[in-house]
Amino acid sequence: MSLLESSYKKNNFDNIFKEICEKSNPLSILEVGILDGYSLNSFLTHSNSDCKITAVDLFDKYKYKSADLSLIHISE
């Protein structure tokens, strides 16, 4: 786990991300700054199968606190 925990996870935002996906039915999602992958996993879980999801993060190129790519587990 990274040194910085996602505030989305601490505050159980999964239901909010689910509602966003259900109401907007997005065709694409761009996630920038994925930290531990919490919101990314929510979007993968709750968006339709036709939605194209792109995730971008800096990981070790970021000189401050960052996530470790090898520790992020995304369920599909």
Side-chain angles (χ1 to χ4, degrees):
M1 179 176 261
S2 75
L3 300 173
L4 187 64
E5 184 180 6
S6 169
S7 62
Y8 297 150
K9 183 177 183 178
K10 286 187 344 187
N11 294 293
N12 194 23
F13 270 46
D14 185 60
N15 291 330
I16 294 171
F17 297 133
K18 179 181 179 183
E19 188 172 332
I20 289 169
C21 288
E22 288 174 349
K23 288 187 176 187
S24 66
N25 195 25
L27 298 175
S28 65
I29 296 172
L30 173 61
E31 174 101 16
V32 178
I34 64 172
L35 192 57
D36 288 326
Y38 179 81
S39 56
L40 179 60
N41 192 56
S42 291
F43 288 129
L44 283 167
T45 301
H46 302 300
S47 63
N48 68 56
S49 61
D50 295 329
C51 181
K52 180 183 177 193
I53 299 176
T54 304
V56 179
D57 206 350
L58 301 173
F59 295 102
D60 27 319
K61 292 182 182 177
Y62 186 60
K63 67 180 184 176
Y64 303 102
K65 294 180 180 178
S66 62
D68 181 344
L69 180 58
S70 67
L71 299 177
I72 294 177
H73 304 284
I74 304 295
S75 60
E76 292 188 55

